[in-house]
């Protein structure tokens, strides 16, 4: 007998025993396990909210099916093996996806009975129980109850069965139950992931043969692979599980499954690829296993979910130049642009985020931008600037920031009316969006016609206000954006002075601990200081003392912009002498040891200004600057040549005056 009155006692006894697949299952408190496996993307509803909805569902009029289902559960409890099988078959005839029918099983203790049946040796009973569980575990409350009843190890053990249909239903059940975080932990610790990976290891010929042409055995294999893929898709919400999948050899299997003609198999495996593509090890594997071409192929499928998962996977992987090239070579840019220009998908935010993000990443490559230009991508991106989703807007502005690096696209953006829309978005509070807006507007400000529009829209004030943002990256890109805005404005000097507290804000950021912020602010100071009145104000704000505090840096980007700021500020009043007194000369000389020619250029310009002071010339000579300057004179960069020559001239003039003085003393 399967379900006699002793079943509850048997279950209580079994629950205290250790499972062979999971020897340490009962050695840890569940709260500890939850803390150890905290990585998840699932947002679980609160207990109070679930209880409220359950009360609402139960308060509705109870149908006759509720009582009929409970009668069947009683038969399962009290009947013999045959009665149990018949009752399970009858139970499957009801619509178990409805909540009231799920409650009917749960309220009479049916979950404990079904989990208990999984321990029996009769495969027909186990199959019937799993079939019921696979349907009712759509309910989150039932999922949690299955976990609490320690049903996960029992289901994982069934994956060792030789029966394909039994393993299929076990995997289907795990696909639902594993939406609970603790269940994902149990599946991994019970060794379930390698077993699920084995389920998806089927022949390529089966994957590429239409379902109606498969024999019964191959059809079972295909259904088993689909169930395994669905379970792995759910389990991939955990980083620990993703790593376990990789070690179990899932990568080549994913590449094989993506070639399938069966959409119901491709969707879950594409979802798994998409989730795993957030991990660096998987990103490399996706590229090396040749999956990009198959992902691109599925971008043209009619299935929306497939497009969404595929475009998101490309978004996560295309930061790598090789991947971007593969996407282009596989013809992936055209379907991505087709997605964003399709007005029917505007309400599908996950798909829109994936497609715009993929275009953004692909646009980092210049070759891809040229292809996107042929598809009028900028115009289609501008049309999305009215979207209300912050992530979509972030991706759109990120893509535009890459496209407008080219003058032709700046003109296209301006003519499409994109500038007013972008300036309006500067009032947003979403930091990644503001970062991309600053990058895009920086490029647009390089175009004189676009700059006139930005001035009319009061964009410079809004960009400057971003320096107050709490995000260091927003601050940095805003400071970089200020540089072309100040350089190309009609009356840049007056523009800066008209912004109340603008220069105080810039100088204040020199106290930041972020290298990118410091570098950007130094670049902004170098630009603002081109006007003598502004330089006088900066000097009054003691800017040279703050610059002097930064000279001992080893970061090339900061060295380049810091030297440019020193060069711009040194020529006012006694700043040259003061910078020498602050011991800035020797550290700046060491910048010449950098491998970056741009650092050499700005350093030579700074040294030329500093060499106006005789004492600084002596310090430079003692620091061994002359060989570096002689080498720079042979550079192909004219600015570097002139600055190095000017510095050498000043050092030489001082040496000649000193020699003349000594000769005069000898004559006397």
């Amino acid at each position: 007998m399967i379900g006699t009155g002793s079943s509850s006692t048997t279950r209580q006894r079994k629950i205290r025993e250790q499972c062979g697949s999971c020897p340490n299952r009962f050695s840890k408190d569940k709260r500890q396990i939850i803390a150890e496996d905290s990585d998840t993307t699932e947002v679980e509803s609160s207990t109070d909210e679930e209880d409220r909805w359950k009360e609402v569902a139960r308060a509705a009029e109870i149908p006759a099916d509720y009582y009929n289902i409970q009668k069947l559960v009683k038969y399962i409890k009290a009947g013999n093996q045959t009665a149990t099988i018949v009752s399970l078959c009858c139970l499957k005839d009801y619509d178990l996806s409805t909540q009231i029918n799920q409650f009917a099983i749960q309220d009479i203790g049916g979950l404990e009975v079904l989990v208990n049946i999984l321990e029996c040796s009769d495969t027909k009973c186990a199959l019937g129980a799993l079939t019921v569980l696979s349907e009712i575990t759509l309910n989150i409350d039932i999922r949690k109850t299955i976990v609490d009843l320690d049903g996960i190890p029992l289901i994982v053990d069934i994956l060792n069965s030789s029966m394909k249909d039994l393993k299929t239903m076990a995997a289907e059940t795990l696909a639902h139950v594993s939406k609970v975080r603790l269940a994902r932990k149990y599946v991994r610790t019970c060794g379930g992931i390698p077993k699920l990976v084995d389920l998806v290891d089927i022949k390529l010929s089966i994957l590429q043969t239409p379902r109606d042409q498969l024999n019964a055995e191959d059809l079972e294999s295909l259904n088993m692979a689909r169930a395994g893929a669905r379970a792995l898709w759910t389990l991939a919400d955990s980083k620990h599980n993703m790593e376990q999948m990789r070690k179990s050899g899932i990568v080549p299997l994913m590449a094989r499954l993506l070639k399938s003609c069966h959409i119901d198999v491709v969707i879950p495996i594409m979802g798994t690829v998409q989730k795993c593509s957030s991990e660096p090890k998987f990103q490399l594997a996706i590229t090396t296993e040749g999956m990009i071409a198959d992902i691109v192929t599925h971008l043209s499928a009619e299935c929306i979910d497939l497009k969404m998962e595929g475009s998101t996977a490309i978004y996560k992987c295309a930061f790598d130049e090789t991947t971007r090239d593969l996407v282009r070579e596989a013809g992936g840019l055209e379907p991505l642009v087709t997605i964003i220009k399709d007005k029917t998908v505007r309400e599908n935010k996950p798909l829109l985020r994936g497609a715009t993000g993929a275009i953004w990443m692909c646009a980092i490559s210049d070759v891809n931008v040229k292809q996107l230009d042929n598809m009028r991508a900028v115009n289609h991106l501008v049309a999305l600037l009215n979207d209300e989703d912050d992530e979509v807007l972030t991706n759109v502005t990120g893509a535009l920031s890459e496209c407008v690096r080219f003058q032709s696209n700046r003109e296209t953006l301006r003519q499409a009316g994109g500038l007013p829309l972008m300036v309006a978005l500067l009032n947003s509070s979403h930091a990644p969006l503001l970062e991309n807006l600053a990058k895009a507007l920086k490029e647009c400000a390089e175009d004189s016609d676009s700059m006139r529009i930005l001035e009319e829209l009061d964009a410079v004030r809004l960009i400057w206000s971003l320096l107050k943002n709490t995000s260091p990256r927003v601050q940095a890109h805003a400071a970089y954006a200020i540089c072309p805005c100040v350089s190309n404005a009609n009356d840049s000097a007056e523009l800066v002075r008209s912004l109340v507290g603008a220069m105080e804000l810039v100088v204040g950021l020199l106290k930041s601990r972020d290298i990118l912020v410091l570098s950007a602010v130094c670049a902004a100071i170098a630009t603002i200081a081109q006007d003598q009145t502004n330089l006088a104000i900066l000097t009054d704000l003691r800017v040279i003392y703050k610059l002097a505090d930064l000279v001992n840096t080893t970061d090339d980007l900061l060295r380049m912009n810091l030297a440019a700021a020193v060069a711009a500020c040194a020529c006012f009043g006694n700043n040259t002498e003061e910078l020498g007194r602050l011991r800035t000369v020797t550290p700046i000389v060491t910048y010449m040891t950098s491998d970056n020619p741009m650092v050499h250029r700005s350093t030579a310009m700074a040294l030329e200004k500093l060499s106006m002071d005789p004492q600084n010339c002596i310090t430079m000579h003692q620091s061994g600057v002359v060989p570096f300057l002689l080498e720079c004179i042979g550079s192909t960069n004219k600015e570097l040549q002139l600055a190095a020559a000017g510095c050498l001239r000043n050092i030489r003039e001082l040496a000649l005056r000193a020699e003349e003085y000594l000769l005069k003393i000898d004559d006397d």
Side-chain angles (χ1 to χ4, degrees):
M1 293 174 63
I2 297 302
T4 62
S6 64
S7 62
S8 177
T9 306
T10 304
R11 182 73 200 130
Q12 292 299 322
R13 185 174 67 255
K14 285 282 185 181
I15 205 169
R16 291 180 176 84
E17 294 177 2
Q18 291 191 359
C19 168
S21 299
C22 185
N24 298 318
R25 179 155 55 105
F26 302 101
S27 63
K28 294 185 180 180
D29 183 75
K30 285 188 175 65
R31 289 171 295 180
Q32 181 183 352
I33 293 175
I34 291 173
E36 292 175 0
D37 194 40
S38 60
D39 53 295
T40 179
T41 57
E42 179 187 4
V43 179
E44 298 182 11
S45 57
S46 66
T47 304
D48 292 342
E49 186 179 353
E50 292 165 17
D51 291 342
R52 186 173 70 253
W53 282 110
K54 282 190 286 185
E55 289 170 7
V56 171
R58 285 190 172 89
E61 185 177 352
I62 298 177
D65 286 353
Y66 179 89
Y67 299 106
N68 292 335
I69 288 172
Q70 291 199 335
K71 285 180 183 178
L72 289 173
V73 174
K74 289 178 182 177
Y75 291 147
I76 295 172
K77 285 184 178 181
N80 58 19
Q81 184 172 334
T82 304
T84 299
I85 295 173
V86 172
S87 299
L88 286 169
C89 291
C90 293
L91 200 57
K92 290 189 290 181
D93 292 337
Y94 289 92
D95 183 6
L96 298 180
S97 62
T98 60
Q99 198 171 43
I100 191 66
N101 290 348
Q102 294 166 356
F103 287 150
I105 296 173
Q106 187 177 15
D107 292 348
I108 202 171
L111 296 179
E112 291 84 346
V113 176
L114 292 170
V115 170
N116 187 40
I117 291 174
L118 298 180
E119 295 183 271
C120 75
S121 58
D122 189 282
T123 55
K124 291 181 180 179
C125 290
L127 181 60
L130 282 172
T131 304
V132 174
L133 286 171
S134 67
E135 292 191 48
I136 64 176
T137 46
L138 293 169
N139 184 306
I140 186 172
D141 189 51
I142 290 178
R143 292 175 202 154
K144 292 180 177 179
T145 304
I146 299 297
V147 176
D148 292 338
L149 291 171
D150 293 297
I152 298 297
L154 300 176
I155 299 171
V156 169
D157 281 342
I158 291 173
L159 294 175
N160 294 321
S161 171
S162 59
M163 293 180 60
K164 291 182 180 179
D165 53 353
L166 197 58
K167 290 192 284 188
T168 299
M169 295 315 303
E172 288 282 3
T173 306
L174 287 176
H176 295 149
V177 179
S178 295
K179 291 178 181 177
V180 177
R181 182 173 56 187
L182 187 56
R184 294 195 290 272
K185 172 77 172 180
Y186 277 161
V187 172
R188 183 177 72 253
T189 55
C190 292
I193 291 178
K195 297 173 185 177
L196 288 168
V197 171
D198 287 341
L199 296 188
V200 300
D201 187 4
I202 63 172
K203 298 176 182 177
L204 183 61
S205 58
I206 298 176
L207 293 169
Q208 295 183 331
T209 304
R211 192 178 289 271
D212 55 3
Q213 297 178 18
L214 293 172
N215 58 41
E217 185 179 353
D218 288 346
L219 196 57
E220 279 190 346
S221 297
L222 182 63
N223 291 334
M224 184 178 68
R226 181 193 61 196
R230 292 187 63 214
L232 291 169
W233 187 11
T234 306
L235 289 166
D237 278 328
S238 164
K239 290 182 180 179
H240 300 296
N241 288 351
M242 282 190 271
E243 180 61 18
Q244 186 67 47
M245 289 179 200
R246 190 186 65 80
K247 290 179 179 178
S248 300
I250 196 175
V251 174
L253 298 179
M254 289 195 300
R256 185 193 305 170
L257 290 166
L258 285 176
K259 300 180 185 297
S260 173
C261 65
H262 306 286
I263 296 299
D264 56 349
V265 175
V266 176
I267 290 175
I269 209 65
M270 183 72 84
T272 308
V273 170
Q274 182 266 118
K275 288 180 180 178
C276 292
S277 59
S278 59
E279 296 298 304
K281 291 179 181 177
F282 269 101
Q283 290 164 355
L284 177 62
I286 288 169
T287 302
T288 54
E289 286 289 336
M291 293 188 217
I292 296 298
D294 292 314
I295 294 173
V296 167
T297 300
H298 292 302
L299 289 178
S300 301
E302 293 182 3
C303 179
I304 296 296
D305 290 339
L306 203 51
K307 290 181 179 179
M308 185 266 289
E309 300 290 355
S311 58
T312 306
I314 291 175
Y315 174 26
K316 292 180 178 179
C317 294
F319 73 95
D320 175 66
E321 185 178 0
T322 304
T323 306
R324 294 196 294 271
D325 292 340
L326 290 172
V327 172
R328 182 186 68 254
E329 291 164 4
L333 297 178
E334 187 173 353
L336 289 171
V337 173
T338 301
I339 292 171
I340 68 166
K341 72 179 182 182
D342 184 358
K343 294 183 179 180
T344 61
V345 304
R346 295 291 170 86
E347 296 304 315
N348 190 332
K349 300 307 177 187
L351 174 57
L352 210 52
R353 289 181 206 128
T356 52
I359 291 173
W360 173 17
M361 290 295 106
C362 289
I364 295 174
S365 296
D366 294 353
V367 183
N368 289 347
V369 174
K370 292 178 181 177
Q371 276 204 12
L372 290 169
D373 290 347
N374 296 332
M375 304 170 199
R376 302 182 71 246
V378 172
N379 296 82
H380 299 310
L381 289 167
V382 168
L384 292 173
L385 287 172
N386 287 315
D387 199 274
E388 65 278 2
D389 187 87
D390 281 342
E391 288 187 42
V392 171
L393 290 171
T394 300
N395 295 344
V396 169
T397 51
L400 287 172
S401 70
E402 298 297 338
C403 291
V404 294
R405 290 181 290 119
F406 300 90
Q407 177 60 27
S408 60
N409 286 332
R410 294 170 189 161
E411 295 171 1
T412 303
L413 177 68
R414 185 181 70 249
Q415 292 166 4
L419 290 175
L421 295 172
M422 293 173 71
V423 171
L425 290 173
L426 287 171
N427 293 307
S428 169
S429 59
H430 190 57
L433 171 58
L434 294 174
E435 178 185 337
N436 286 345
L437 281 169
K439 289 163 67 177
L441 292 173
K442 171 185 176 292
E443 299 296 340
C444 291
E446 300 285 358
D447 175 51
S448 57
D449 292 333
S450 297
M451 188 62 217
R452 300 293 81 77
I453 296 175
L454 292 176
E455 285 187 89
E456 291 172 8
L457 296 170
D458 197 22
V460 180
R461 179 183 61 81
L462 292 172
I463 294 172
W464 215 295
S465 67
L466 295 182
L467 295 176
K468 299 177 183 178
N469 195 280
T470 55
S471 168
R473 293 190 63 84
V474 173
Q475 292 174 345
H477 288 289
Y480 277 127
I482 286 170
C483 298
C485 288
V486 171
S487 299
N488 299 322
N490 277 330
D491 188 356
S492 59
E494 185 57 37
L495 173 65
V496 174
R497 290 193 291 273
S498 67
L499 301 173
V500 179
M503 283 186 271
E504 289 87 339
L505 185 57
V506 171
V507 174
L509 283 176
L510 288 174
K511 296 178 181 178
S512 174
R513 295 184 179 181
D514 189 278
I515 293 292
L516 188 61
V517 173
L518 292 173
S519 175
V521 170
C522 285
I525 288 172
T527 306
I528 296 168
Q530 298 302 316
D531 176 76
Q532 287 297 303
T533 306
N534 289 342
L535 178 53
I537 297 171
L538 289 171
T539 302
D540 291 341
L541 293 172
R542 300 175 65 82
V543 69
I544 61 169
Y545 294 93
K546 292 181 172 63
L547 293 175
D549 291 337
L550 303 175
V551 292
N552 291 307
T553 181
T554 57
D555 184 84
D556 274 357
L557 185 61
L558 179 53
R559 282 177 165 184
M560 178 179 71
N561 291 323
L562 176 58
V566 168
C569 295
C571 56
F572 182 82
N574 66 338
N575 285 354
T576 303
E577 294 86 347
E578 193 64 18
L579 285 166
R581 190 186 66 79
L582 292 170
R583 302 178 185 273
T584 62
V585 176
T586 301
I588 291 176
V589 168
T590 62
Y591 296 180
M592 299 299 285
T593 60
S594 170
D595 295 328
N596 189 334
M598 298 305 293
V599 175
H600 297 165
R601 184 184 68 85
S602 58
T603 302
M605 293 168 66
L607 292 174
E608 181 190 16
K609 302 296 182 184
L610 291 171
S611 64
M612 298 293 183
D613 177 62
Q615 186 58 46
N616 289 345
C617 285
I618 295 170
T619 306
M620 288 179 200
H621 191 274
Q622 291 173 344
S623 301
V625 76
V626 173
F628 292 109
L629 294 174
L630 289 171
E631 186 178 344
C632 289
I633 289 177
S635 170
T636 55
N637 187 305
K638 273 194 172 184
E639 288 182 319
L640 175 56
Q641 282 182 328
L642 291 171
C647 186
L648 282 172
R649 180 195 61 207
N650 292 336
I651 294 173
R652 182 58 182 158
E653 283 182 357
L654 177 63
L656 287 172
R657 288 200 300 271
E659 188 176 349
E660 289 174 0
Y661 178 73
L662 291 173
L663 288 172
K664 186 177 180 181
I665 291 176
D666 290 342
D667 291 342
D668 292 342

